[in-house]
Amino acid sequence: MHNDHLDFETIQAASDIISAIVESSLQERESVFPLNHERFTFFKKIKDPISISFKNTEVYLKIKLNFIKGKNILEETLQIQKEIKDEIVHLTGLEVKRVDLSIQKIIPAGNSLRNL
C-alpha cells in the first residue's frame, strides 16, 4: 500500500480479513485447537484469542492457541506463523511485522474440543 496511515474503514475490513485468515489457518491444522471465544469465566474476563494491532500500514498479531501433545512445537509454530503472514500479505497487501503465538495448554492426543 502507498498510504502511510490507514483509515478506520480500512482497518476494520483488514481486521475482519485477518481474523478469518487466522481462524481458517488454525482450523486446517491437526496440531492445534483454537481457544474458545468465551468472553467471561466465573472470576475474570478472558481476552480474545486473536489480537490485531496496526502501526501505520504494519500489522502485529498475537494469537493464543492450544497445542496437541506429541507434535513438534517449534516446527509447527514456525509453519503457522509463515502461513498466516504470507496469506495476510497476499490478501491485504499489508506488511506483517509480527505473528506471536502463545500456547495456552498442551492437550493429550485424542481429546476433543468438548473436553477442554
Side-chain angles (χ1 to χ4, degrees), residues 29 31 67-68 70-82 101 103 106:
R29 296 201 151 296
S31 59
F67 209 85
I68 306 257
K71 301 292 183 176
N72 184 322
I73 293 175
L74 180 60
E75 181 180 301
E76 290 288 323
T77 54
L78 290 173
Q79 287 177 354
I80 291 168
Q81 287 172 317
K82 182 180 180 341
L101 300 178
I103 298 172
I106 297 185

Side-chain angles (χ1 to χ4, degrees), residues 3-43:
N3 314 12
D4 286 332
H5 300 283
L6 302 174
D7 60 23
F8 178 76
E9 290 81 16
T10 303
I11 289 173
Q12 185 61 46
S15 293
D16 292 344
I17 292 168
I18 291 167
S19 292
I21 290 168
V22 170
E23 289 175 8
S24 174
S25 179
L26 294 179
Q27 287 176 353
E28 292 174 0
R29 296 201 151 296
E30 295 179 9
S31 59
V32 300
F33 281 122
L35 291 181
N36 293 334
H37 290 272
E38 294 176 18
R39 301 293 296 201
F40 291 91
T41 65
F42 185 71
F43 294 107

Side-chain angles (χ1 to χ4, degrees), residues 54-72:
F54 296 88
K55 182 177 181 185
N56 301 325
T57 59
E58 300 170 347
V59 179
Y60 297 82
L61 288 169
K62 292 181 182 179
I63 303 166
K64 296 177 183 176
L65 49 90
N66 296 319
F67 209 85
I68 306 257
K69 186 176 182 177
K71 301 292 183 176
N72 184 322

